[in-house]
Amino acid sequence: AQSVTQPDIHITVSEGASLELRCNYSYGATPYLFWYVQSPGQGLQLLLKYFSGDTLVQGIKGFEAEFKRSQSSFNLRKPSVHWSDAAEYFCAVGATGNQFYFGTGTSLTVIP
Amino acid sequence: DAGVTQSPTHLIKTRGQQVTLRCSPKSGHDTVSWYQQALGQGPQFIFQYYEEEERQRGNFPDRFSGHQFPNYSSELNVNALLLGDSALYLCASSRWKQETQYFGPGTRLLVL
């Protein structure tokens, strides 16, 4: 069965510190992987996506993610967090024409 | 270029009532998917429409129905509302068989 696990419900980091949000997936075929960000009361904004090729993908706002097939992981990273990055982050897995499966999200708090 | 739009932004209904939510896809997109996001959860897939037909459906009861119009816009209808239907309803659009979905800001439904 397809599923996405985000083990960290809530993470707090200091502004300027590095960030890594974890995502593990279960999917029968080659997955398409996505990270979305959601600010309070807002919809989802696409940060980055992985379909194939280079396993390190770059996204918007300075985010990057690395696909590791052997670990079934697609972790999101940012070298230096800004206060405006505080939001809810969702990892999703999908395939062409198919539905997306989302994780339960990781809430990020950034402290000055 | 307008993104995905949804209306209304907020809605309050009472148990047993019926509700209709609306979505206009991003320009150039022909596929619309609907998701339910309960408080503190990730989005859950309801169904997907393409060429005015429901193409895929998630694990939601028949009280949830939809429609797609020739201009690709879509409606989500929920009958016999339950308290548990209170959630943020997200619409996502894409091109058919293209993997990336773009989300609207959502409609927040409160059932009293």
Side-chain angles (χ1 to χ4, degrees):
Chain A
Q2 300 87 342
S3 67
V4 176
T5 301
Q6 293 182 247
D8 304 305
I9 297 173
H10 186 246
I11 284 182
T12 299
V13 298
S14 298
E15 191 168 16
S18 64
L19 172 70
E20 182 169 25
L21 303 182
R22 296 183 290 165
C23 172
N24 294 97
Y25 68 89
S26 173
Y27 196 77
T30 301
Y32 297 105
L33 295 160
F34 305 82
W35 276 98
Y36 286 86
V37 61
Q38 185 177 39
S39 297
Q42 302 297 312
L44 302 175
Q45 181 183 21
L46 179 66
L47 283 177
L48 48 77
K49 57 190 177 185
Y50 172 78
F51 294 162
S52 64
D54 192 347
T55 56
L56 184 64
V57 293
Q58 303 297 319
I60 62 171
K61 303 184 180 186
F63 285 93
E64 66 178 27
E66 185 172 13
F67 171 62
K68 293 185 177 180
R69 184 185 300 275
S70 61
Q71 298 177 20
S72 296
S73 69
F74 187 57
N75 293 349
L76 182 71
R77 300 194 295 247
K78 186 169 185 178
S80 178
V81 171
H82 188 262
W83 64 266
S84 61
D85 294 325
E88 190 86 16
Y89 291 81
F90 292 95
C91 180
V93 63
T96 303
N98 289 343
Q99 65 189 74
F100 276 23
Y101 296 89
F102 282 86
T104 52
T106 297
S107 177
L108 174 65
T109 296
V110 180
I111 56 177
Chain B
D1 178 23
V4 180
T5 60
Q6 293 185 243
S7 63
T9 56
H10 295 82
L11 207 50
I12 300 175
K13 293 286 188 178
T14 57
R15 282 178 297 174
Q17 285 189 311
Q18 177 265 343
V19 68
T20 298
L21 311 181
R22 296 176 176 81
C23 171
S24 291
K26 183 178 169 64
S27 178
H29 288 183
D30 54 14
T31 303
V32 173
S33 300
W34 286 92
Y35 292 81
Q36 180 195 66
Q37 186 180 16
L39 198 61
Q41 300 296 315
Q44 299 286 319
F45 177 76
I46 303 175
F47 43 54
Q48 181 185 72
Y49 275 84
Y50 170 68
E51 288 189 333
E52 303 179 48
E53 290 186 11
E54 182 182 294
R55 298 292 177 161
Q56 285 204 79
R57 189 178 185 91
N59 188 27
F60 279 81
D62 293 344
R63 299 187 296 109
F64 290 77
S65 63
H67 188 76
Q68 186 179 34
F69 299 93
N71 67 353
Y72 309 121
S73 66
S74 176
E75 288 182 349
L76 164 65
N77 300 293
V78 186
N79 293 323
L81 285 167
L82 304 174
L83 296 180
D85 295 330
S86 295
L88 180 68
Y89 288 84
L90 295 165
C91 169
S93 76
S94 61
R95 293 180 182 174
W96 179 243
K97 296 296 186 183
Q98 297 296 308
E99 300 81 6
T100 305
Q101 297 184 18
Y102 294 86
F103 285 80
T107 293
R108 188 162 297 280
L109 172 65
L110 177 61
V111 182
L112 301 177

